[in-house]
Amino acid sequence: MIRTLFVIPIPFTGISIPIYAYGFMLMVGFLVVIFVARIKAKREGLNPEDISNMGIYTIFVGILGGRTFYVIQNLDSYKHNILSIFKIYEGGLVFYGGLLASIAAVIVYTKIRKLPVLKTIDVIAYAFALGIVFGRIGCLLNGCCWGDVCSPDLPWAVTFPKLVDANSMINGSPAFLHHLGLGLVSVSDSHSLPIHPTQIYSALGNLSIFFIINAFFKHRRREGEITLMFCALYSVMRFTVEIFRDDNPALFDGMTISQNASVVVFVASVTLFVIGRVKLKRAVS
């Protein structure tokens, strides 16, 4: 866990600017998405510059949507400290909130620029999974999105340290604070209990999705199929990873918000994919 990657001193001012791991990895993920999407856009007959320009708007809208969903999901943590809502560098984005907001931004941009909507979204979806990999590495460095307690004999189990501020007050890591609140560790302990590295699970899952989509791209038969496949695969992966996470409370049905959203997204994606293929088959016959 490395929340601050490095500090940039401002000469003659005595002020230093910390570069937070979470925000830095989000930026890296964004640049990777744009770079890969530009290459794919050129091969698909789209203007790479449109992808770059659209990406600038989409990243801000996506972060806003992801943060809004996170704050709603954790409203009790923010209602007494409104300013904490803006501390995005500390982590706290819900993927599905960012996804919905990003799709809306892409649709609006493509309509304004009169670009092929489905083809453009497919190009973004193709690169999106790879960008999420870097975002999840940022989660690991930041300590958020932590996993459930596991056996210490699990070879890849991880622990997160107890962090203290300048006043020697315990202010992290999130996993340690969570375990402390549950009485699983004491203030004298230096680390959390062993937990599943769900950030790595998610990163590996998204990397797998990227390679699957890359292999499927040449077999697509309709525009929009890449996006639907991404949504279906991601929903399965996210539902599974949520089983091992411990940062999201279960709802009345025993599933987390993200698991419920995954079920809806999976059903909708598969249904639309099948309907599209059936219509295409009828049109050919």
Side-chain angles (χ1 to χ4, degrees):
M1 177 178 174
I2 308 174
R3 277 188 163 176
T4 304
L5 289 179
F6 52 88
V7 177
I8 302 176
I10 306 300
F12 313 114
T13 64
I15 299 175
S16 297
I17 301 176
I19 303 300
Y20 295 102
Y22 184 76
F24 181 82
M25 294 309 297
L26 282 182
M27 181 188 69
V28 171
F30 167 72
L31 294 177
V32 167
V33 170
I34 296 300
F35 177 76
V36 175
R38 281 176 60 93
I39 295 175
K40 180 61 71 173
K42 188 174 182 179
R43 293 175 180 172
E44 293 297 310
L46 298 174
N47 185 353
E49 294 304 318
D50 282 323
I51 299 298
S52 298
N53 295 333
M54 179 176 57
I56 296 175
Y57 298 108
T58 302
I59 187 64
F60 288 110
V61 174
I63 290 176
L64 178 61
R67 187 61 171 179
T68 299
F69 269 60
Y70 182 83
V71 171
I72 293 174
Q73 184 174 302
N74 300 274
L75 193 58
D76 290 340
S77 302
Y78 293 99
K79 61 184 181 181
H80 299 301
N81 190 5
I82 302 298
L83 293 180
S84 294
I85 293 176
F86 303 100
K87 295 181 179 180
I88 298 178
Y89 54 83
E90 294 182 351
L93 297 173
V94 174
F95 174 79
Y96 283 117
L99 178 64
L100 292 175
S102 297
I103 290 176
V106 171
I107 292 175
V108 171
Y109 183 89
T110 53
K111 290 292 186 181
I112 293 176
R113 295 285 297 172
K114 297 180 179 180
L115 303 174
V117 178
L118 293 180
K119 179 182 285 189
T120 303
I121 295 179
D122 276 350
V123 167
I124 298 297
Y126 166 79
F128 202 46
L130 196 57
I132 301 175
V133 172
F134 292 90
R136 287 307 181 187
I137 293 174
C139 291
L140 179 67
L141 295 174
N142 186 57
C144 57
C145 306
W146 66 92
D148 203 354
V149 176
C150 65
S151 169
D153 296 327
L154 188 69
W156 52 84
V158 296
T159 60
F160 286 92
K162 174 181 69 176
L163 301 179
V164 296
D165 59 20
N167 298 316
S168 298
M169 298 294 292
I170 299 175
N171 67 346
S173 61
F176 182 88
L177 290 177
H178 181 65
H179 291 173
L180 183 64
L182 295 176
L184 301 178
V185 297
S186 66
V187 293
S188 61
D189 291 319
S190 61
H191 286 77
S192 69
L193 295 179
I195 59 178
H196 287 281
T198 45
Q199 307 94 333
I200 299 300
Y201 295 170
S202 184
L204 292 176
N206 279 286
L207 186 61
S208 300
I209 290 173
F210 172 76
F211 284 118
I212 292 173
I213 290 178
N214 183 58
F216 175 76
F217 212 101
K218 61 183 178 181
H219 299 291
R220 74 195 190 283
R221 299 181 62 185
R222 290 169 60 96
E223 292 179 355
E225 284 191 346
I226 296 299
T227 301
L228 293 175
M229 174 162 280
F230 167 78
C231 290
L233 291 174
Y234 182 88
S235 62
V236 173
M237 184 278 298
R238 182 58 185 268
F239 186 96
T240 304
V241 172
E242 283 287 311
I243 297 173
F244 301 97
R245 283 179 63 164
D246 194 31
D247 61 323
N248 293 326
L251 301 180
F252 64 92
D253 58 359
M255 298 190 298
T256 65
I257 291 178
S258 292
Q259 284 180 316
N260 280 280
S262 293
V263 172
V264 174
V265 170
F266 178 79
V267 172
S269 301
V270 172
T271 300
L272 291 173
F273 188 95
V274 172
I275 290 175
R277 282 295 177 97
V278 170
K279 287 184 176 180
L280 184 62
K281 185 176 181 179
R282 289 177 179 174
V284 173
S285 59

